[in-house]
Amino acid sequence: MTFTLKRFPSTSQMLGKRTIRPLGAAALCGIAFIQDTLIAIDTVKGHLLQIDPHSDNTQILNSHQVKDFTDVTGLSVWQDTLWLTRGNHVYLCNLGSLGLEHFITLPYTADGIAVWESTIYVSCQKLGAILIFDRDTRKQITKFYAPGVGVENLAVDEEMLWVSDTVEQTVYCIDRATGEVKFSVLTPFDSPTGIAIHKNSETGKKTLYVAYVSEEPYVRDNPNADPSHELSYRDRTFIHPLNYSYNPDKRYTLSNGYLIEMSYVEEIAPLEEVYLPEVEWRIALPSETPRQKIKHIEPIGLPFTEEVVEGQRVAVFKFDALTPGERHIFGWKAVLEVRGIKYRITPSDVENIPEVSLELKSRYLVDDDDLAMDTSIVRRAAREAIGSETNVLRKMYSIRNYVYDELSYGIKPHIDTPDVVLERGVGSCGEYVGVLLALCRLNGIPCRTVGRYKCPPYAEYQQVPLQPQYNHVWLEFYIPGFGWLPMESNPDDIGSGGPYPTRFFMGLCWYHIEIGKGISFETLMSQGARLTKEDLSIGELAINHIRFTILEELPPLVDGV
């Protein structure tokens, strides 16, 4: 059987502006463009799909060859030839007939494929490599080290090879001649499974498209159960344009982002009635950073004045007194532009950096937050974590991996000190941060806490009020000459014993909201004296309410493929 590819009207105008959710698809892996025609493989069903980007309508192109295409993961097109990876094998076929011809067999699973003229690129996670073959001789020419730790799919364009890594949540831009990673881009969603490049036939502009596969939880009605609702899961797969802007001077890449409205409100609701004279209630405001821009801030409930504390904006609410029975709601609402960011700095880049300044040492190399840095267990961990390493970036890698090896994640009702956490071997995100701060500071690396919330990462739920399940913190570490770099506390602690992904090592996704870098998120003062937990905790006095609303996706950035 033969088929004819359609070109949908005005497809070029439509691409780059919407999420494509093909009807009937379960798990999209390899994707490719033939001019303006989008094709994709549904690896679970074995369907080779032609997809209308306007309507999400799909057509099965291999109606009589579904078995041959089941479990296909990689897909590429060069001229009139379709290339596939399935199991340990690479196949090719004519687009008009789809009769598979064997090309090569690998010792392990062949994951992704890309083709440029007579050069064939094949990724293999178990080999930790991207293998390069000559089409005519079918011999391996060379290989590149795989840039990430997960299953990788490929696309190629002139001088660059593009690699999407499922575990890393990252797309790498690689020089296809040398294998050198030029930069990397955080994808806005997790589990990227396929990648393709579209060239607009009218403007010549190129856009990266990434396919995603996951499961999403939902509550279904079950009249036979008690209660009559139960948690279930369903397939979630779609294709979305990946926008990015690379800043070579500052070594980072910005990617897709969203306009987000965030509200933080305190409701006075004391566990026991108290009298507090001359109250100043401070709440940190969102920060201005390369990836986060404040478009608007306004008070909620009561007015506030602003202070700047160590470069961070803070809202100050003042009360003559808080008396028994008195009730208030107060806080702030902010509209933010937030994008993903990923830094690309290597150990060789930091070999000859300046010394850390005395100011940073006095502020960020000390125990100022119950870090138990003088205890034997913490000091021993600080030594074991780095061994004989002297490079500051490799130290950070080593400390991070040491903490991931020593701790497993668990939510606790309160935050214990690092010595207790290391002894227990289980910690929350805040406890991971505490251990990381202690070990880094003992090894001469300035660190500070950042947080305090993440927007629920459901970009499709726009204009819908969303509430986070809990607060969240991560950290930043400082490298002279490069500045403050982000590092998540525990989300990359997956797998058993590593290798651990580095998606959030020097990177943050769009849903991280940066507030109060290096300062307390919230403080309470009465008659000029700061109240401690022993005096009265804010949690005993008030209930907080946090709401996010994803307003819209931000316009594409100026750079492209």
Side-chain angles (χ1 to χ4, degrees), residues 382-395:
R383 292 191 300 270
E384 292 176 351
I386 67 163
S388 59
E389 186 56 67
T390 58
N391 183 280
V392 65
L393 195 55
R394 289 198 183 98
K395 281 184 180 181

Side-chain angles (χ1 to χ4, degrees), residues 236-251:
R236 178 174 180 255
T237 189
F238 58 92
I239 301 167
H240 193 81
L242 178 63
N243 303 310
Y244 70 88
S245 177
Y246 174 51
N247 187 324
D249 294 333
K250 297 186 178 179
R251 309 292 187 93

Side-chain angles (χ1 to χ4, degrees), residues 221-257:
D221 185 17
N222 183 356
N224 299 317
D226 185 21
S228 61
H229 292 85
E230 62 185 14
L231 180 66
S232 188
Y233 291 85
R234 58 193 173 200
D235 294 325
R236 178 174 180 255
T237 189
F238 58 92
I239 301 167
H240 193 81
L242 178 63
N243 303 310
Y244 70 88
S245 177
Y246 174 51
N247 187 324
D249 294 333
K250 297 186 178 179
R251 309 292 187 93
Y252 66 72
T253 306
L254 297 176
S255 55
N256 300 56

Side-chain angles (χ1 to χ4, degrees), residues 255-260 291-293 336-340 509-514 554:
S255 55
N256 300 56
Y258 291 85
L259 188 68
I260 297 174
R291 59 174 289 275
Q292 179 172 289
K293 306 301 178 187
L336 309 168
E337 288 185 352
V338 189
R339 296 186 183 272
C509 212
W510 61 268
Y511 42 76
H512 291 82
I513 308 299
E514 296 172 277
L554 295 175

Side-chain angles (χ1 to χ4, degrees), residues 150-169:
V151 173
E152 296 178 332
N153 225 316
L154 309 175
V156 65
D157 177 66
E158 297 181 356
E159 302 304 319
M160 295 301 171
L161 181 66
W162 298 87
V163 182
S164 67
D165 190 294
T166 304
V167 176
E168 298 282 2
Q169 196 176 327

